Amino acid sequence: QVLDQFLQIKLSESHQEEIMHSLISKSTIQKKSKEFGFDIIKITDPKIHKKNQHYIKDFLKNDFHGDMDWLEKNLERRVSPKKLWSDVKSIIVLGVNYGPNHDPLQNLENKKIGNISVYARGNDYHEVIKKNLKKFGRWIISQTNSEIKVFIDTAPIMEKPIAQKAGLGWQGKHTNLVSRDYGSWLFLASIFTNLELESDKEEINHCGNCNNCIEICPTDAFTEPYKLDARKCISYLTIEHKGIIPLHLRSKIGNRIYGCDDCLAVCPWNKFAKESNEIKFKQKNKTELYDLKKLSLLSDDNFRKMFSKSPIKRIGRNRFLRNVLIAIGNSKLKDAKDHLNKNIFDESPIVRGAAIWALNQITEGEELNKIKKQSLSIEKDPDVIKEWIERKI
């Protein structure tokens, strides 16, 4: 009799949980997401295709990840969401449109300014989306009594393969997600839940014979379609790479000082892209504030103030100035000589080294030799000294 009563209680609890979980439908969840600022929402199961697991392992095996050691950490959890959270039954994948109102490649034509990737011209998307994601998550919990975990580019999750499996888009030949409705411009977020929800249909690849993204890459970072050597990618070099940018790649960076949108911008599917409605993703600073000469004189304090709400703050002032100085050298800004002279005596070795390289691009003869002599009289860092030796390559 006691056992029968126990079974009744357990059955009652199970039935109650089933009722709670069915209080809202999949379509209700999808409709509600719009109120929290999400442009597209799809659902999938927590399984990663074997081909995607093989891709990330091959990527790491070839050392294509460079300084991004975090990709190696928790690899087993990265290729299996269940190992990240054993109770997950469904993954709600969300996309937020950050489409620009102009062609991002236009800024490459103005050599006096630094070109910043579209995603970093406004507020940090992590902070903007995280708030809405948590609000949406709390709503789901209130309606279903379920458990959830929310992620926005901060956990060992293969966001793009999961997004393709859910139907948001497909991974193009440049390895980024492409959407039929939003082109190249989607931020991704996800909600893991122990709810069992009906999965959406996986998106198929629509790249066809197009190779625009492969052909435009300034540094030939693609070893073949769908395979990227991040160590040659300008986005990696200007954002993730912590040290000296390899000499043979500097001249190919142009005036890009934070990220690169070339392979995204040339995608034909952008003809269906829409301008973002999120005002916080809009460029706050006018173009003149990206003036290369002005940026080259940023102190650490001024850098922090200028980019306090931007994802750019993550790389710090020294790496940012490294990028700015290389852009000055590539742009051949002869009127920036005085700025470079000051940077040659900066506290940071990577700033000093980049300044020397830039100066070698725009100065020569006795003027250059005088600066070189002065620099070498006090320089102790071997990598900085090497910049004087390797000169204009």
Side-chain angles (χ1 to χ4, degrees), residues 133-270:
L133 191 63
K134 287 181 176 179
K135 290 177 183 178
F136 185 35
R138 284 194 289 268
W139 178 83
I140 292 174
I141 292 172
S142 71
Q143 299 297 307
T144 63
N145 196 34
S146 62
E147 293 182 44
I148 66 164
K149 293 186 183 296
V150 301
F151 302 103
I152 168 70
D153 195 25
T154 54
I157 300 170
M158 297 182 72
E159 291 99 343
K160 291 178 285 187
I162 291 174
Q164 177 165 348
K165 194 163 181 280
L168 267 78
W170 69 97
Q171 282 190 265
K173 293 179 182 180
H174 50 22
T175 74
N176 292 296
L177 197 77
V178 183
S179 164
R180 286 190 291 179
D181 297 318
Y182 298 98
S184 303
W185 318 109
L186 277 180
F187 290 130
L188 298 176
S190 58
I191 297 176
F192 284 29
T193 176
N194 61 349
L195 289 172
E196 282 203 54
L197 300 169
E198 178 190 357
S199 292
D200 287 294
K201 185 178 179 181
E202 181 171 351
E203 180 62 281
I204 62 173
N205 190 307
H206 296 283
C207 285
N209 295 323
C210 178
N211 287 303
N212 287 3
C213 58
I214 306 296
E215 293 168 357
I216 198 174
C217 181
T219 55
D220 298 318
F222 299 100
T223 59
E224 60 182 270
Y226 308 105
K227 288 191 177 182
L228 170 72
D229 182 348
R231 296 170 301 180
K232 296 171 66 178
C233 173
I234 293 175
S235 284
Y236 165 81
L237 292 169
T238 57
I239 300 173
E240 301 296 343
H241 186 53
K242 299 179 178 66
I244 299 168
I245 292 177
L247 193 62
H248 68 285
L249 294 174
R250 294 178 196 173
S251 62
K252 299 177 181 181
I253 291 175
N255 65 338
R256 301 170 185 85
I257 59 174
Y258 190 90
C260 176
D261 291 321
D262 292 28
C263 66
L264 301 179
V266 296
C267 180
W269 285 94
N270 286 336

Side-chain angles (χ1 to χ4, degrees), residues 17-71:
E17 183 178 352
E18 184 179 333
I19 292 173
M20 288 298 291
H21 281 188
S22 63
L23 282 178
I24 57 171
S25 64
K26 171 184 171 181
S27 61
T28 301
I29 292 175
Q30 291 175 323
K31 288 177 183 177
K32 192 69 177 179
S33 69
K34 306 290 183 181
E35 295 180 23
F36 293 96
F38 296 101
D39 296 292
I40 184 170
I41 175 174
K42 299 285 185 177
I43 297 168
T44 189
D45 61 67
K47 296 176 183 177
I48 301 291
H49 289 318
K50 289 290 185 183
K51 64 178 182 180
N52 297 122
Q53 295 181 25
H54 293 322
Y55 172 82
I56 184 66
K57 290 176 181 178
D58 185 62
F59 180 80
L60 294 171
K61 182 181 178 181
N62 287 305
D63 292 325
F64 287 168
H65 60 300
D67 290 340
M68 297 184 289
D69 297 335
W70 45 268
L71 284 172

